[in-house]
Amino acid sequence: MKRYTLLILMAIASAFTVGARAQQSAEQWFEQANAAYNAGSYDTALILYNNVVDNGLESVPLYFNMGNTYYKMREYPMAIYYYEKALKLDPSNEDVRTNLAIANLAIVDKIEEVPQSFIEKGWNALKHSFSGLQWTILSIVAFALLLVSVFLFLRSRSMGLRKLGFFVGLVMLVVFVLSVLFASQQKRASLKEDQAIIMTPTVTVKSTPNEASVDLFVLHEGTKVQILDEAAGWNKIKIANGSIGWLQAETMLPF
């Protein structure tokens, strides 16, 4: 029994050592890639950034820098792809949003989004005001303050403190519920690959998943689409203005 316990402990220690070495290598590659980018060696920078990605690591700075590198190389669809991946991790990042807007100026399609109601705009603005991690931290803080407020309301002998505990607790309850909701929604969104960037210079959207079906409209590389369904190598897509059709899956890169 002791022997098995020792083997398990050795395996755990080995796993931690390998993980630490991989993390250290990833950090070194990231710093080297940044240095190569600053020196104008964009091909080298991409190789090093991809080494980090191949190790199963992701972060907003990593995807943001990869987007910047592709933009410098004038590969705008790939730049947009990595900016979008960065935004999936942190929808509140203004630097990423700014660079994405600039990259979108370089592509052919300028598609107007379906107008949102005032309530939808406000809800989405609130949801994207923090990253998923920040919402999680806020939920923990709100829950702690909620417990303090409940304790104050139940145990205080002062009517003023009891009222304070009640109202603060009510506010913290709302903050806690919203922060948990937004954190979970952002987490689910980050795990889904239900969006994509068109990578083929020009594609014709079809009415059905069949090359012989009716042509609906044309899209160009760099355009963002939402994936609604899949069928035999085809994706049912929706664009920002609400138009829907089918495209071959090989024409796009999901994220």
Side-chain angles (χ1 to χ4, degrees):
M1 184 66 178
K2 290 182 179 179
R3 183 182 177 186
Y4 290 136
T5 302
L6 179 60
L7 289 174
I8 292 172
L9 291 174
M10 289 175 64
I12 294 173
S14 176
F16 274 116
T17 302
V18 171
R21 288 176 179 172
Q23 180 68 30
Q24 186 178 18
S25 296
E27 291 175 356
Q28 291 174 347
W29 285 326
F30 185 71
E31 294 301 325
Q32 291 170 3
N34 291 343
Y37 174 87
N38 292 331
S41 300
Y42 304 125
D43 289 331
T44 302
L46 278 179
I47 292 172
L48 293 167
Y49 285 135
N50 278 303
N51 284 342
V52 180
V53 174
D54 291 342
N55 270 264
L57 301 176
E58 63 176 6
S59 69
V60 174
L62 173 62
Y63 289 147
F64 179 63
N65 288 3
M66 292 181 77
N68 290 339
T69 305
Y70 276 113
Y71 184 85
K72 289 290 187 179
M73 298 172 70
R74 299 181 184 275
E75 295 186 28
Y76 303 120
M78 290 301 297
I80 292 170
Y81 172 77
Y82 280 105
Y83 289 144
E84 290 285 1
K85 283 177 74 71
L87 273 185
K88 243 188 172 181
L89 295 179
D90 182 7
S92 67
N93 194 299
E94 288 300 325
D95 290 336
V96 178
R97 287 188 174 278
T98 299
N99 284 22
L100 174 60
I102 293 172
N104 277 321
L105 294 175
I107 65 174
V108 175
D109 296 328
K110 305 293 187 292
I111 302 171
E112 293 187 8
E113 295 186 5
V114 176
Q116 294 181 327
S117 68
F118 176 77
I119 295 177
E120 285 178 318
K121 281 185 178 180
W123 180 262
N124 289 327
L126 179 60
K127 180 170 66 174
H128 295 152
S129 58
F130 295 113
S131 67
L133 177 60
Q134 289 170 330
W135 279 120
T136 301
I137 294 172
L138 182 59
S139 70
I140 295 171
V141 173
F143 184 71
L145 292 176
L146 175 60
L147 292 179
V148 172
S149 300
V150 171
F151 178 82
L152 191 64
F153 175 75
L154 294 177
R155 302 301 297 271
S156 178
R157 295 181 180 180
S158 169
M159 183 58 68
L161 288 178
R162 292 188 67 185
K163 287 183 178 180
L164 178 64
F166 175 80
F167 288 112
V168 171
L170 191 60
V171 172
M172 288 302 105
L173 177 61
V174 173
V175 172
F176 172 72
V177 171
L178 287 178
S179 56
V180 169
L181 176 63
F182 292 153
S184 61
Q185 286 182 347
Q186 289 195 24
K187 181 63 176 179
R188 286 196 300 270
S190 69
L191 295 175
K192 284 183 181 179
E193 286 196 346
D194 59 346
Q195 300 179 82
I197 302 298
I198 302 298
M199 291 294 165
T200 303
T202 303
V203 291
T204 301
V205 181
K206 299 288 186 174
S207 59
T208 64
N210 190 313
E211 197 64 50
S213 63
V214 176
D215 295 347
L216 297 180
F217 51 92
V218 174
L219 295 176
H220 301 85
E221 60 181 356
T223 300
K224 177 183 174 181
V225 300
Q226 181 182 358
I227 300 174
L228 303 177
D229 199 2
E230 301 176 2
W234 289 75
N235 288 340
K236 186 178 183 180
I237 60 99
K238 181 179 181 180
I239 58 177
N241 65 8
S243 298
I244 295 174
W246 290 86
L247 279 176
Q248 291 185 346
E250 64 185 18
T251 64
M252 63 190 74
L253 190 57
F255 64 91

